[in-house]
Amino acid sequence: MRRSRIPALSLSSALLVAIGFSAQTALAQQAPAVVVAPATIMDLRESVDLTGKVTAIQKVDIRARVSGFLEAVNFTEGQKVTAGTELYRVEDGAYRAAVQEIEGQIEAAEAAKEFAILERDRAEQLLTSKTISQAKVDEAHAQVRKAEGDLIRLKGSKDNADLNLSYTKITAPFDGIVGLTAADVGALVGPDSGPLVTLTRLDPIYVQFPVATALYLTYRERVLKGEISGGANVGLGLPNGTEYKQKGTINFIASNVSGTDTVTVRAEFPNPDSILLDGALVRVMLEQSDKQDVLAVPQQAVQRDQQGAFVLVVDASSKVELRRIDVSRNARGQAVISKGLKEGENVITEGAGKVRPGITVDAATAAGG
């Protein structure tokens, strides 16, 4: 009896199929890889982000207080100046002449007073000898008082003339930065000519921000109950996305509620490098000043369904367990856990979509975990 022979090609194909099937089976049985992170006790202080506006502590329009032609502009636009720096000079010839004229009138008035005193004294002597009447003596006394009055009036006029002369030098009332000048040398300026330049003080500087009335009242209630401290660290996020290095101090809370149902709060910040500019919009970051240690896991570990929040926990035997949790708040990329987890338990942060409760996984700890 002849035995049938299986072609060598068919045997090779069957062997390859068997090997492929075995490889697929082993692959199917391989534990899926996931990344885990431990539930950790960390300092996650309660915080809130608000929108604020930078406001200069001092900002004034510099104006001319006397009329005249500008002789000098003594600053560069955008320059930092100190209090008392001369910014403009108005021609002062007429004002100096006015002072000199009044000084001459004062000298004449002083001479007239001296003469009136001599006349009064002479009249009193003549009265004792019955040479003149009492009316003449009274008139002499009146002339002295008139001379004294004229002298007082002239001294007042001189003070006013000196003041007008001093106004020909327009100075900075405080340290600050000057803006663009509205007048050049040769321009006729005066009290009615409008602002010459704006002077702004940028260091220190204020940041004002509105706080919703409900949020403010809740904060006050929690402070009174002792749940949180009354202090707060105040930071700023700049328009370019960076964080301002200096910290601020709250120095004002409004006693009234605005039309937008908010309470205005103001903080003061050092600004030595003039990074914060008047009118800029910034992100205000309020954070509790006292340390708050809480149990937290990365936010991406938390999932939600119709029953609420849950995480996938990997136990010591690398098995997956679905665990229901309560999340009280999120902060700095972390979810604060109030119920459902213990410190040190590992939760899946990456790869949760390819696992299910009860299976064994190949868990690797996240970098920094």
Side-chain angles (χ1 to χ4, degrees):
M1 182 177 179
R2 298 180 61 185
R3 294 180 179 178
S4 62
R5 293 185 177 181
I6 300 176
L9 182 60
S10 299
L11 286 173
S12 299
S13 299
L15 183 59
L16 289 174
V17 170
I19 293 173
F21 178 77
S22 298
Q24 290 177 1
T25 302
L27 185 61
Q29 293 175 349
Q30 184 179 356
V34 295
V35 177
V36 297
T40 307
I41 298 293
M42 60 180 65
D43 180 15
L44 284 178
R45 308 176 194 194
E46 292 189 50
S47 62
V48 62
D49 287 359
L50 303 165
T51 299
K53 185 176 183 179
V54 180
T55 305
I57 287 182
Q58 291 178 291
K59 182 178 180 180
V60 296
D61 290 332
I62 304 298
R63 298 173 181 265
R65 302 182 69 173
V66 293
S67 298
F69 291 97
L70 281 183
E71 285 187 338
V73 178
N74 298 317
F75 63 88
T76 301
E77 294 170 324
Q79 173 188 348
K80 287 185 177 181
V81 297
T82 57
T85 299
E86 182 181 300
L87 303 177
Y88 297 94
R89 187 184 310 124
V90 179
E91 62 177 6
D92 61 2
Y95 299 100
R96 289 187 180 279
V99 171
Q100 292 175 350
E101 180 180 356
I102 294 174
E103 287 175 345
Q105 293 174 356
I106 288 174
E107 289 186 7
E110 287 175 342
K113 177 184 174 181
E114 292 175 0
F115 179 75
I117 291 173
L118 291 174
E119 287 293 308
R120 180 199 62 191
D121 294 343
R122 187 178 298 114
E124 289 179 344
Q125 291 176 358
L126 293 175
L127 180 62
T128 58
S129 61
K130 307 291 185 180
T131 305
I132 62 172
S133 65
Q134 182 64 46
K136 291 293 185 180
V137 175
D138 294 340
E139 183 180 351
H141 277 279
Q143 289 298 321
V144 172
R145 290 194 296 272
K146 179 179 180 301
E148 291 174 341
D150 289 342
L151 193 57
I152 292 173
R153 176 178 55 81
L154 289 171
K155 286 182 177 179
S157 296
K158 183 179 182 302
D159 288 343
N160 187 58
D162 286 337
L163 196 59
N164 286 334
L165 178 60
S166 71
Y167 289 157
T168 60
K169 293 181 179 180
I170 304 174
T171 59
F174 52 81
D175 297 353
I177 298 177
V178 287
L180 299 174
T181 182
D184 295 323
V185 173
L188 179 63
V189 299
D192 299 327
S193 60
L196 300 178
V197 73
T198 299
L199 178 66
T200 306
R201 181 183 177 186
L202 294 180
D203 184 30
I205 202 163
Y206 290 148
V207 174
Q208 292 186 3
F209 51 95
V211 178
T213 307
L215 179 61
Y216 174 72
L217 292 176
T218 301
Y219 162 78
R220 294 297 300 166
E221 289 175 358
R222 295 186 66 191
V223 170
L224 292 175
K225 291 178 181 178
E227 295 178 0
I228 57 175
S229 68
N233 297 324
V234 190
L236 291 180
L238 301 178
N240 63 355
T242 62
E243 185 172 336
Y244 187 57
K245 295 181 180 180
Q246 303 278 2
K247 297 298 182 182
T249 304
I250 293 176
N251 63 4
F252 172 78
I253 299 177
S255 59
N256 64 296
V257 177
S258 70
T260 55
D261 197 25
T262 57
V263 177
T264 299
V265 180
R266 186 182 70 192
E268 181 177 317
F269 288 82
N271 191 30
D273 299 322
S274 302
I275 293 175
L276 300 177
L277 300 178
D278 180 52
L281 294 179
V282 292
R283 180 167 55 93
V284 181
M285 300 173 288
L286 296 180
E287 180 186 68
Q288 277 290 300
S289 58
D290 291 348
K291 188 177 180 181
Q292 287 182 294
D293 288 330
V294 294
L295 183 66
V297 296
Q299 275 184 250
Q300 64 264 34
V302 179
Q303 302 182 61
R304 296 182 184 276
D305 58 17
Q306 293 180 347
Q307 298 180 46
F310 67 91
V311 292
L312 296 177
V313 178
V314 178
D315 62 18
S317 59
S318 297
K319 286 189 177 181
V320 178
E321 174 194 349
L322 187 149
R323 186 80 60 80
R324 294 290 171 182
I325 59 171
D326 289 342
V327 179
S328 60
R329 58 186 173 90
N330 295 316
R332 300 202 297 269
Q334 300 289 322
V336 177
I337 309 301
S338 58
K339 183 180 178 182
L341 277 179
K342 295 179 181 179
E343 182 182 6
E345 291 189 298
N346 287 315
V347 298
I348 297 177
T349 58
E350 296 181 31
K354 56 186 177 181
V355 302
R356 65 181 183 276
I359 72 169
T360 299
V361 295
D362 179 14
T365 303

